[in-house]
Amino acid sequence: MSKRITLADVAELAGVSAITVSRVINNPVKVSAGVRERVDHAIDRLGYIPNRSASTLASARSGIIGVIIPSLSNSVFTEVLRGIYDQTGPAGFQVLLADSHYSPLEEEKLVRTLLGQAPEGLIITGGDQTEATRKLLRNAAIPVVQIMESVEDPIHMNVGFSHRAAAFDMVKQLTQRGFQRLGFMGARMDTRAQQRLQGYRQAMNQSGLGDDGLIVTTPRPSSLAMGAELFRSLMAQSQGCCEAIFCVNDDLALGALFECQRMHLAVPEKMAICGFNDMEAAARVNPPLSSVYVPRYDMGVQATQMVLAAIAGEVPAETKVNCGYQLRMRESTQRQH
């Protein structure tokens, strides 16, 4: 963590007084255009974030931890948030939660807004931030934890797992069970979905089974209905030759399962189906759905503990934690002899 950028730093770079910088920020109409331009340039260059809590003394603590996730409606993040809240409450902190809608540019805006509230730490999702966001977070001088995936070059700390490796291991498991015409279904195709597709391709190519005709994706959001739609597209595209499917998440897998049942296509006898995330419904449907389990609650707990420790001035034992995953093989991918 670098030194926090101050009003005085902006003033020095712009060649004006701190009072002038304050006027540009709070009442720009009273400052000449030339001075405003110099100050704005200095603010952008340094990544300075004005603290809007003017009534709070500089030495005061906000008691806030900011959290940015891609979707408030995606149930994948429910357990992560429960882990975060279970740690922040007893520690006397409040969570300021924001939804980036899977947009790095929206995330950048949210980071600017949250930093303006003087949080003591920040938890964000993934590693695909814009360069401006990374600069803002590095200059903020607060602990930042990136979660939900392994990040090669973390801003500060990271708790996650390799989506590529998890997908590779699951697809490899399926090919070892004898499934050769193994399709891929993906929706939204954000960074983590792309990593799962990479793992699928790697495993299929390594087995000599790679075939782009067995891949169907859409940028549209994931849902059960989308799973059914993609399944129909995959069957048409593969001319009905597909014998198993690796889905980018459980929503799509369940949609494919229900569509198979509607079409009287027996699972796993005629079609094996596998999901990702191991949501509660995966083990409850008939047949139970194979899926990749990820310890989402523990991820939220560990990320928050790392932030709280850093706020307390402690040096974390690890700044990059691999939370791992498990392949949970159930009846939906049981090979029929």
Side-chain angles (χ1 to χ4, degrees), residues 144-326:
V144 176
V145 181
Q146 291 159 283
I147 62 171
M148 298 302 290
E149 67 180 89
S150 291
V151 178
E152 186 175 341
D153 179 26
I155 293 166
H156 183 199
M157 296 179 284
N158 174 221
V159 181
F161 68 100
S162 171
H163 292 255
R164 183 203 56 75
F168 175 88
D169 287 347
M170 177 57 86
V171 173
K172 199 69 178 174
Q173 174 72 230
L174 294 173
T175 60
Q176 288 173 351
R177 290 190 173 198
F179 296 109
Q180 297 188 356
R181 300 286 294 171
L182 173 57
F184 177 93
M185 287 175 25
R188 195 179 290 278
M189 300 313 293
D190 58 272
T191 301
R192 287 165 292 283
Q194 292 285 353
Q195 291 168 7
R196 294 173 197 177
L197 177 55
Q198 291 169 10
Y200 162 86
R201 286 186 187 275
Q202 183 182 359
M204 292 294 284
N205 290 338
Q206 190 179 99
S207 301
L209 302 172
D211 182 352
D212 284 350
L214 296 175
I215 298 174
V216 291
T217 65
T218 177
R220 292 155 59 193
S222 181
S223 66
L224 296 181
M226 180 54 67
E229 181 178 328
L230 289 177
F231 176 76
R232 292 192 296 271
S233 296
L234 177 60
M235 293 301 287
Q237 184 172 301
S238 66
Q239 298 182 334
C241 293
C242 189
E243 61 178 338
I245 312 169
F246 172 67
C247 300
V248 81
N249 59 39
D250 288 345
D251 284 349
L252 297 184
L254 290 169
L257 173 63
F258 298 150
E259 186 65 10
C260 282
Q261 293 171 343
R262 190 189 70 80
M263 297 170 63
H264 304 290
L265 189 63
V267 177
E269 290 82 1
K270 298 296 183 180
M271 179 66 64
I273 302 175
C274 173
F276 199 109
N277 289 322
D278 197 35
M279 306 301 288
E280 184 179 2
R284 305 297 180 197
V285 292
N286 184 28
L289 188 68
S290 294
S291 190
V292 178
Y293 167 80
V294 180
R296 293 182 295 276
Y297 175 82
D298 293 341
M299 198 184 311
V301 168
Q302 197 155 16
T304 310
Q305 289 177 344
M306 291 166 76
V307 167
L308 294 174
I311 290 172
E314 301 172 13
V315 178
E318 292 182 272
T319 58
K320 190 171 181 179
V321 176
N322 183 354
C323 66
Y325 53 85
Q326 297 174 16

Side-chain angles (χ1 to χ4, degrees), residues 85-138:
Y85 280 105
D86 280 356
Q87 297 299 305
T88 53
F93 283 83
Q94 291 185 323
V95 171
L96 200 55
L97 180 62
D99 179 351
S100 69
H101 304 288
Y102 289 93
S103 168
L105 291 177
E106 180 66 20
E107 183 183 61
E108 182 181 321
K109 294 177 184 177
L110 291 172
V111 165
R112 291 180 183 275
T113 300
L114 288 179
L115 291 180
Q117 303 303 312
E120 297 188 49
L122 195 63
I123 299 173
I124 60 176
T125 306
D128 60 336
Q129 288 74 35
T130 66
E131 193 54 43
T133 298
R134 295 178 70 85
K135 182 176 181 179
L136 289 169
L137 293 175
R138 287 197 169 109

Side-chain angles (χ1 to χ4, degrees), residues 39-59:
V39 171
D40 287 341
H41 175 74
I43 288 173
D44 288 341
R45 183 174 170 184
L46 294 173
Y48 173 67
I49 298 293
N51 187 344
R52 304 300 180 185
S53 304
S55 60
T56 304
L57 295 175
S59 60

Side-chain angles (χ1 to χ4, degrees), residues 55-97:
S55 60
T56 304
L57 295 175
S59 60
R61 294 180 57 180
S62 67
I64 292 172
I65 292 177
V67 177
I68 302 177
I69 61 173
S71 172
L72 292 175
S73 61
N74 189 335
S75 56
V76 165
F77 298 102
T78 303
E79 286 295 287
V80 178
L81 290 174
R82 188 166 67 86
I84 291 172
Y85 280 105
D86 280 356
Q87 297 299 305
T88 53
F93 283 83
Q94 291 185 323
V95 171
L96 200 55
L97 180 62

